[in-house]
Amino acid sequence: MRSEFVFTRMAEDAAKEVENLKVDGEVADVVNPWEVTTSSATGVDYDKLVERFGSSKIDDELIARIEKVTGKPVHHLVRRGIFFSHRDMHTILTLYEQKKPFYLYTGRGPSSTSLHLGHLIPFIFTKWLQETFNVPLVIQLTDDEKFLWKDLSIDEAYRLARENAKDIIALGFDVNKTFIFSDLEYMGQSRAFYRTVCRVQKCVTFNQVKGIFGFGDSDCIGKISFPAIQAAPSFSSSFPEIFNKKADIPCLIPCAIDQDPYFRMTRDVAPRIGGKKPALLHSMFFPALQGAQTKMSASDPNSSIFLTDTNNQIKNKINKYAFSGGGATVEEHKEKGGNCDVDVSYQYLTFFMEDDAKLAEIKKTYTSGELLTGYLKKELIGILQPLVAAHRERRQKITEEEVTQFMTPRKLIYDY
Ligand code: TRP
């Protein structure tokens, strides 16, 4: 009797879940901090996501304004629409024009020793923002989050945070302007940070986090209160050492769009705790080797190229797994051409090939069928092998002392 009841309930829940996913009668893409999937081979429908989340598209007008204000061409990740959505970016540009301060905040959940290419994207762009606007940056390593969600001990989560910090430092962030912190460490050191966490916690009900994140009755209470910890770095009052106790310095958060639920919540509570709503820049996901239906995931080694992969591993993974939008045979390919919208090697080139003219030429000749998949893959391998090798070399040179330096709370320099 009982088990039957349980099963009926489970079936009902499953049906309800599918129903919840429907938007205008269609099954919508799943995009949340823990899962990204779509049934479409061309990947998530980002226009619909902008509508559903209520953010704004990064349009030509905003790009033109960024270029005018900074006096230089925008990063290719913006130009190519990979950073495609924002909240309040115009406000940040106005502040910059008026020479008023703001700061950058981004983060990473350290769930594995080695990062993959997808993890690099927000950090590469954040570095460009830091250099372009000359502003301080805080990087949150949510080792507490990974302890709560994964099968990891506290010690192991903290160890991974420090290991990941090395990868981040190896990208070339300026130590005078960057504070990297582990939640497990900094939460115990900073009175101010914990006070912000409590203020946020007081403003959000269980009902609200259930609605935003889908938490259920059997999720541990650590998970339920975690969003307040990811919200806290959006407020300068959490970092009195850095900002000279100024509590009202606005924040800009570059992140992949799956993190938006945290910051919708943050923006909602901001006025109630006397803080400013953080601005956001959202990126698309970095597709898995197997195709854009899902993103690269560290827990599936064959879906990802890791920053620790050897030249041979990179070559083999791309040749073996990178989903091809080309024809099944050479004849068919020459006749019908390749499809860049689903071709993973082409997608990766849009993230990593800097030469716009060359990329356009590849798109044209691949689409017409002149260029074969093999060539596209060779081109990609030729870019990724030296990129990953150079990263590996820089990372090896990062010492524990340097990590500690980045992770020590201190005043950061900003002077524009
Ligand atoms: N939750 C993020 C992850 O699992 C880590 C994170 C914390 C983050 N704060 C952030 C990401 C701010 C982007 C911006 O990867």
Side-chain angles (χ1 to χ4, degrees), residues 33-34 105-111 119 122-123 138-142 145-146 181 183 226 229-231 233-234 253-256 258-259 262-263 280 295:
W34 304 281
Y105 157 40
T106 192
R108 145 123 192 106
S111 57
H119 294 136
F123 288 107
V138 298
I139 300 176
Q140 179 180 45
L141 301 173
T142 51
E145 177 191 15
K146 294 303 157 183
F181 63 99
D183 285 344
F226 173 76
I229 299 172
Q230 183 153 332
S234 316
I253 307 171
C255 63
D258 61 334
Q259 298 298 307
Y262 286 113
F263 302 119
L280 287 136
K295 62 174 181 170

Side-chain angles (χ1 to χ4, degrees), residues 108 111-124 164 167 171 285-288 295-301 303-309 317 348 352 387-388 391:
R108 145 123 192 106
S111 57
S112 57
T113 320
S114 85
L115 272 65
H116 61 55
L117 286 179
H119 294 136
L120 279 189
I121 301 304
F123 288 107
I124 289 173
N164 284 192
D167 279 295
L171 292 173
F285 306 112
F286 196 74
K295 62 174 181 170
M296 227 179 219
S297 157
S299 39
D300 176 4
S303 80
S304 305
I305 293 169
F306 292 98
L307 298 177
T308 45
D309 281 351
K317 279 186 187 176
Y348 286 11
F352 289 108
L387 184 140
V388 172
H391 180 86

Side-chain angles (χ1 to χ4, degrees), residues 258-269:
D258 61 334
Q259 298 298 307
D260 191 64
Y262 286 113
F263 302 119
R264 286 202 295 272
M265 185 197 88
T266 308
R267 287 168 56 88
D268 192 52
V269 306

Side-chain angles (χ1 to χ4, degrees), residues 27 73 93 109 145 148 180 223 267 330-331 343 367 400:
V27 177
L93 292 175
E145 177 191 15
L148 291 166
I180 304 178
K223 289 186 185 180
R267 287 168 56 88
V330 174
E331 292 73 42
D343 194 286
T367 307
E400 287 304 322

